[in-house]
Amino acid sequence: MRAISLFRLTGLIFWLLLTVPWAAGSTPTSDTPGVSAPEAIAEAIRARYETALVDLPESKRRHYAQRLYRITGDERYLPLNRDYGDRLTEKLREEIAALATPGFAERRAREAIADYPTSSEKKRRRKRMLSQWGEIAYAKSLAFDLVQTKAYGLLNESDLPDYQRALAYLKSVNFRSFLLDAEVMTVYAAQIANLAYYLYDLGVVDLREEVITAFRQQYPPTRDAALTRAEYRNKIYGMTHFVIAASDYYQKPVEAEAFRWALHEFAAGLDPLLARTKADIYTEVGISFLLAGQSEHPAVSQLQDALLEAYDADAQIIPAEDGSTDLAQGEHRNVLAIMLLNWPDALHPGPVIADDRSGAAGDVR
């Protein structure tokens, strides 16, 4: 534990040293030759977050560093990714060992539901829904953690002894009923899309086509006008996550033909989509086109323009729908904005974390 703590400390110090240039005001502007307005805003947001990143919660640092590595391949993001990988494997070793104890999964599911936030009606509905599905609240979290270790090259006997026990447990869970349930889909569409792909990536079960078919039957475009704002947002967010999940979360492009149904629907209803959703959602719509190799689609520039209009130059970020400029709460929205406004020519999978962690925590390679 002491070695891991030292690793984390030196990794964060290394990050601080690397981000000094951002604080010095080297961010390009829209007046910089060869830099477009979207690229300039993306870099301004990036500069704002990278000077504040060490003060954000660990979960936000992980999310940001993982996404920025995957669109840049920049080795500066490796220390924070390694930090997350070490914390994750430490946690999972304990979880996997505990799975041998009868009743462990049920207890962890009850704890997850008890701790589920209730700060909005949407969250209260999700909490009530999850409370009806037994161990699912724990099983879906375990699947997420295992997918993360796989992306980092850590899903193996050396890093996660007995990891097959966790996979065997997931295979014992009835995910199909949960993923195809109409009521679940009304409040959990994006999470359903994610989980369907987690289970496929882990070799547990392939329910992707069944889930997409059920989703499209529940949410045909002809129903859009009758949906409440919350229902409509749940639908569009779910659609984006089928595309994003298929990319292994920005690690690889997707086949445009496989998601023609979603891209066509986005494009056909773009004006009401912009009016009825928020930046977190419509930015993922734009990223869906980019993942499918549709960077020249007119929808992309229209969605970029919406972000540029939403940008708060004083705060140097895309604010929340209510105007909040809280950096931690806005991390998801703003890392997405960086991606949509400055999409790369190639994506970078992983990062695969080296087996040998005996070197200095801040070393990049």
Side-chain angles (χ1 to χ4, degrees):
M1 290 294 292
R2 184 177 182 181
I4 293 175
S5 297
L6 178 61
F7 173 87
R8 294 173 185 169
L9 177 62
T10 52
L12 292 176
I13 291 172
F14 184 69
W15 176 264
L16 280 170
L17 293 174
L18 285 173
T19 52
V20 168
W22 291 106
S26 59
T27 308
T29 69
S30 57
D31 297 326
T32 304
V35 177
S36 69
E39 291 171 339
I41 298 304
E43 289 307 307
I45 297 171
R46 184 175 171 185
R48 179 69 185 96
Y49 267 89
E50 299 201 357
T51 55
L53 198 58
V54 293
D55 296 320
L56 297 184
E58 285 184 339
S59 63
K60 303 298 183 179
R61 290 201 299 266
R62 185 279 302 176
H63 187 270
Y64 182 93
Q66 190 180 78
R67 268 61 178 168
L68 264 290
Y69 178 84
R70 289 175 180 174
I71 64 166
T72 67
D74 193 331
E75 292 184 335
R76 294 182 315 114
Y77 299 105
L78 290 179
L80 295 179
N81 277 285
R82 289 181 183 136
D83 172 34
Y84 172 60
D86 274 4
R87 286 187 285 111
L88 184 59
T89 51
E90 181 182 10
K91 169 191 171 185
L92 279 172
R93 289 187 194 111
E94 296 177 358
E95 295 272 323
I96 290 169
L99 276 171
T101 304
F104 171 76
E106 295 95 324
R107 176 173 62 81
R108 293 285 283 114
R110 289 194 300 271
E111 292 171 350
I113 293 167
D115 292 339
Y116 202 90
T118 56
S119 56
S120 68
E121 177 56 29
K122 177 178 71 175
K123 291 176 180 178
R124 289 190 288 273
R125 286 188 66 192
R126 288 178 173 178
K127 181 170 184 171
R128 290 194 296 269
M129 178 272 293
L130 287 170
S131 70
Q132 299 170 8
W133 286 92
E135 296 178 23
I136 288 289
Y138 170 69
K140 69 180 185 63
S141 175
L142 178 63
F144 169 80
D145 287 344
L146 291 172
V147 164
Q148 295 290 304
T149 62
K150 183 180 179 184
Y152 284 166
L154 300 172
L155 192 61
N156 55 67
E157 282 295 330
S158 176
D159 291 292
L160 280 180
D162 298 325
Y163 76 93
Q164 293 287 350
R165 176 186 296 152
L167 295 179
Y169 164 72
L170 292 179
K171 289 177 182 178
S172 74
V173 177
N174 180 11
F175 286 106
R176 188 176 185 277
S177 294
F178 177 74
L179 291 173
L180 299 179
D181 185 87
E183 179 60 27
V184 172
M185 201 169 289
T186 61
V187 294
Y188 224 48
Q191 291 78 7
I192 281 176
N194 292 341
L195 184 54
Y197 277 86
Y198 296 159
L199 298 173
Y200 168 73
D201 290 343
L202 293 170
V204 173
V205 63
D206 186 0
L207 296 170
R208 295 171 300 164
E209 290 305 317
E210 286 185 75
V211 172
I212 290 174
T213 297
F215 177 90
R216 295 183 67 183
Q217 289 174 346
Q218 182 155 335
Y219 284 119
T222 53
R223 282 194 61 209
D224 285 357
L227 298 176
T228 66
R229 186 176 72 163
E231 290 169 338
Y232 180 76
R233 290 181 174 190
N234 178 68
K235 171 192 172 173
I236 300 300
Y237 204 41
M239 290 171 68
T240 67
H241 272 254
F242 283 115
V243 181
I244 291 169
S247 78
D248 286 343
Y249 305 89
Y250 321 108
Q251 295 189 74
K252 63 185 182 184
V254 302
E255 291 292 334
E257 191 57 38
F259 295 101
R260 188 71 60 193
W261 62 276
L263 300 178
H264 175 76
E265 191 171 331
F266 289 150
L270 197 58
D271 288 338
L273 189 153
L274 281 166
R276 298 181 71 185
T277 66
K278 55 183 180 178
D280 300 69
I281 299 174
Y282 68 68
T283 302
E284 287 196 356
V285 171
I287 291 172
S288 296
F289 282 98
L290 295 172
L291 284 168
Q294 306 291 305
S295 61
E296 300 302 316
H297 196 289
V300 174
S301 59
Q302 190 172 341
L303 291 160
Q304 288 177 331
D305 287 345
L307 273 184
L308 297 181
E309 186 175 347
Y311 177 67
D312 184 326
D314 293 329
Q316 211 169 311
I317 66 169
I318 307 296
E321 194 173 20
D322 63 3
S324 170
T325 55
D326 182 274
L327 290 180
Q329 293 182 6
E331 180 275 330
H332 175 267
R333 176 173 59 257
N334 281 277
V335 77
L336 291 171
I338 293 169
M339 297 165 74
L340 178 59
L341 295 173
N342 196 6
W343 189 252
D345 294 329
L347 297 172
H348 303 267
V352 173
I353 298 172
D355 292 335
D356 181 10
R357 296 178 180 79
S358 59
D363 287 350
V364 292
R365 48 190 167 181

